[in-house]
Amino acid sequence: PPFHNGGVDIEKYILYYTELSPKDNFTLGGKSSQRRREKKDDNGVVEDFDIQNIDAVRRSVTMYTPQTEVILTNLRGGSKIQQIELCAINKGGIKSDCTVCPSVKTLPPSWRQTLEKEMERALASREDYIDSDLMQGGGVVQREEKNVYINWLRAELGKLDPENMSTRKEKHGAKITSTTDNSPAGGGTNAPNENNQIIVDYNRRKQQFFYRINTLEKDISSCKQSRADISTRRSFLTFQMSDAQKRILQLEAELDRISTLPEKMDVSSNVIHGSDQRFTVQRLRQELRNELDETHANIAMGKAGVIEGDKTSELLSHQIEVKEERLKQRHAAYFSFDCESKLVMRFGSKICLDHKVVMAKYFLIWASMAQRRTRLRRIITRVARDERRKTTILVLKRWKEFMQKEKDGNANSNEDELFGIGGALLKQAERKQNESIALTASAVKNILHIQNTSKMRQWEKRSEGMTSLMDLSAPCHLLGHDEMVMIQGECYYNDSRFHESVDCFDELLRNLSGTHYANVPKRDIARLIAAIHGSLGDLYFNLGNNDLAIIQFERQLSIGTELSSNKDLISAYLGLGKCFYENGDHNLARDQYMNALSECVFVNDKNCTILAHKGLEKCYDRLSKQTMAVKSKAKAEAIEYEREKRIASAMKTFDELKERLINVTAEEGDVIELQKASPHYLKLKREKIELEGKIKDAGEELVNTGQEAENARQLLDQIDVELREAMMTKKEKMNSSLVHESTQEIDTGELVIRLKKKFHGVTDEVSEFEIIERQTKTKIKNLKDDLNVLEEDIAIENGPLMQKILKDKVIRCAGLNASNTAENDVTGSSTGGVQRVVTCEDRHIYIHDLSNGVLRCIFGGDGQGKLHIGEPWGHTSIITCVYFRSSKVYTGSMDNTI
């Protein structure tokens, strides 16, 4: 008890503790088991838990006075007990400060405890499979069927007794600790040490693949053997039933022979025992009937055995198909895992560059910049030295002239004037020197700008007619110097100077990550970077460094995926395909070419489609799939031929159009009469077209229904004929193709039942088809009646009275499309313009076809004083002006609205 109880007696104690135990879940795919992993720290202390793989449960135990001791039960073996705190609570409800105890650790679980805990987990699982590392051992997690795993656990628990529990526990412990060995526990070869360093759990994952493949192969072999045994037993049963059938004929013949003899008469017979023996007729008949019943029972049992064997064989066949499919998936997954491992190893050996190489590269860059600064300093120094020399020579010349004048007596005798002139000359020389330095700096800048401009023009001139390495799908935002670097890199590429081209594109990639492009949209910069990575991939491929080329193409693929840029994706897939092909990974190359082909569908890029088909041709040729190779070659040639043919046809059409436009004159013209009609007329015409379409659809439906009904009637006749034949025949079995899709041999009784059932079903279908035919005919008749009514209304609209009313309406203004006149084509028929003309009458707008004058649309105006919910949707007064441009019509009215 505590030293101070707070003035009131202690009522109870509360013990808090946190139990840390490993999780019971497992994951596959090469990850380690989360049951328990033992590892040593730097001090050699064994640590049994991983923070990410444990469950922490906070528990409490209450003890009431006078109890001061407690025993913790139901603790899990091999778990830690941390944060042990004990506090006292008096009767006043005051809680004392907690006393912290050191952490403790429970003993490792026994083999029985491990099995019982695993049994609880397996029984509580709702899945058909259990992931565990107990059956295989070695710490390798495998997926087992739930029922098989539970039976194994029960068998292991049944083997345990108090004498061998500790022995089994030691064996199990040996299995767990054996996982620290680098060698795999099961079949398969040891992986190299560098695989374990680069690829996590390489040996474990490989062992899992081998275990699953071997298990599936054993299951398939067992199923096939069982199916073969069933087939052998079926043949044996068939042979026995054949002998039994013959025996029945013998017994029935013997019964017929003695049927007319007296009961007490003695007769001889060799049917019962195989040799002649004397029997009374009554006893012989009884013996024959008993053996006849026994033979019939044997035949029935044989048939039941055959039927059961067929069902079992079908079930085994299904299991074999499922397991073979799983085996194929496992083989494919292992092949992919092996290829990825090789690829990672190859990249791991290439990506890690020596720091000395990097230092040498940056030293060369620094040396070139230092050399450039030295050259500029030399130019500035030379110019300044020349100006100082000129100034000194000028001052010396003036001084000599002055001295000559003084010697001749013409100089001024004033000494101050002598010094004043020299001072003025010195100041003038100093001012000119400063001006010369400023002019020199400006001249140097202009020289550098002119030099860069001349180099850029020189590279642009060289790049004319060359192959472009970068196919930019975004606007080019490169600055002047970077654009010159890009052109220079492409020129080096066309000159097969790939190393210099790589340096240019590396410099361009570094410049794009600077602050000069802060105002450029990030999406355009990303597209430029993706294109540069694709260019570097092509350059490394030409240099024979396929691994670095794959890295560049994968970077382009990653950026293209984020930007959803089809061109970058196509370029990356094509580059990866040719790199994998050169490395000998023909299956991966084929997949990349197939991906490129699927992306070409969205952009309709014929050139890339041809390259993809040619790449597939080479891959299929290497994979010994000649048929697919021939198909890919034919597709590539077809696209090339089609492109050449379309280009030739387009050029021919272009020449014809050019000649036609040249020969077109305005001497000929057409007089078109514009149709006048009411809005109701247009509505009736539209309804007529809809009704004619419905009548056409109903007619097609009637024809299809009649054809289906006729087919059903023919099937009904066939069923009737075959049903009569089955009911009259004496055969036990008949061949029929009406029950199933194919011809099968069926028992006559069962065939009669199935044919009757199908006969009734087909009869119902024929009745339904007849009802649908009658309904469709009624529908067509009603639609034709509606069409006749519409035609009568249209005739009234086209009648003389309506035409006279429409004729009196005067068109106030008309407008041709301004877009057509801008292209020097008033009608719009030659340049693909808008072949419409707009006319206005009163408050209404009419749109006519310019080629034949047919009225196409009417925009009606609003009547004055007409009530609306909201604003009027048309003009309420006379339209006075119209403007028609592109697909829009603008009108102005006397109601002061547009």
Side-chain angles (χ1 to χ4, degrees), residues 1-6:
F3 294 104
H4 303 287
N5 56 9

Side-chain angles (χ1 to χ4, degrees), residues 639-651:
I639 295 173
E640 288 181 345
Y641 176 73
E642 179 184 0
R643 182 176 60 181
E644 294 175 358
K645 184 178 179 181
R646 292 174 72 178
I647 291 173
S649 176
M651 294 301 297

Side-chain angles (χ1 to χ4, degrees), residues 313-380:
S313 179
E314 185 178 356
L315 180 61
L316 289 174
S317 299
H318 177 69
Q319 291 181 357
I320 289 172
E321 291 179 1
V322 173
K323 292 183 183 297
E324 286 180 346
E325 184 64 26
R326 291 180 182 174
L327 183 61
K328 291 179 182 178
Q329 294 176 0
R330 290 296 91 206
H331 278 296
Y334 176 70
F335 178 74
S336 177
F337 166 73
D338 193 24
C339 293
E340 290 177 0
S341 302
K342 292 180 180 177
L343 191 61
V344 170
M345 289 300 301
R346 191 182 301 119
F347 287 168
S349 61
K350 296 294 183 181
I351 292 176
C352 300
L353 298 176
D354 189 2
H355 68 282
K356 294 183 179 179
V357 177
V358 178
M359 291 178 61
K361 183 176 181 180
Y362 281 103
F363 176 76
L364 291 176
I365 296 173
W366 175 82
S368 62
M369 294 176 65
Q371 186 178 5
R372 184 179 179 183
R373 289 196 298 270
T374 304
R375 185 170 62 253
L376 291 176
R377 190 181 294 110
R378 191 182 299 113
I379 293 172
I380 294 173

Side-chain angles (χ1 to χ4, degrees), residues 8-40:
V8 186
D9 293 337
I10 301 299
E11 180 181 10
K12 58 182 176 181
Y13 300 92
I14 300 179
L15 176 66
Y16 299 96
Y17 65 94
T18 300
E19 182 179 2
L20 303 179
S21 58
K23 295 181 179 179
D24 286 334
N25 60 323
F26 294 87
T27 55
L28 292 179
K31 296 183 180 179
S32 60
S33 167
Q34 295 181 356
R35 176 184 303 281
R36 184 176 72 180
R37 179 182 293 271
E38 296 184 358
K39 59 182 180 180
K40 294 184 179 180

Side-chain angles (χ1 to χ4, degrees), residues 534 538 549-550 552-558 560-561 565-581 588-600 602 608 611-612 615-616 619:
D538 288 329
I550 290 174
Q552 297 296 332
F553 284 127
E554 286 183 346
R555 291 176 180 173
Q556 184 185 18
L557 179 62
S558 176
T561 304
S565 176
N566 298 104
K567 290 189 176 181
D568 292 330
L569 292 175
I570 293 170
S571 176
Y573 283 134
L574 291 176
L576 289 172
K578 62 184 181 182
C579 291
F580 285 136
Y581 177 81
L588 292 177
R590 178 196 59 190
D591 295 339
Q592 300 303 324
Y593 283 125
M594 292 295 292
N595 293 334
L597 203 59
S598 62
E599 293 293 335
C600 289
F602 298 102
C608 294
L611 294 176
L616 286 174
C619 293

Side-chain angles (χ1 to χ4, degrees), residues 470-478 486 520-531 559 563 565-568:
M470 291 177 60
D471 184 12
L472 298 177
S473 58
C476 185
H477 298 280
L478 294 176
M486 183 188 71
V520 180
K522 293 183 178 180
R523 186 176 182 85
D524 296 339
I525 294 297
R527 289 190 177 182
L528 286 171
I529 292 174
I559 298 174
L563 299 177
S565 176
N566 298 104
K567 290 189 176 181
D568 292 330

Side-chain angles (χ1 to χ4, degrees), residues 625-665:
K625 296 182 180 180
Q626 301 301 328
T627 304
M628 301 299 294
V630 171
K631 288 183 180 180
S632 299
K633 181 179 180 181
K635 289 180 181 179
E637 292 178 351
I639 295 173
E640 288 181 345
Y641 176 73
E642 179 184 0
R643 182 176 60 181
E644 294 175 358
K645 184 178 179 181
R646 292 174 72 178
I647 291 173
S649 176
M651 294 301 297
K652 183 178 179 181
T653 305
F654 178 75
D655 294 338
E656 292 177 355
L657 290 174
K658 185 177 180 181
E659 183 178 359
R660 192 171 178 195
L661 288 173
I662 292 173
N663 296 331
V664 168
T665 60

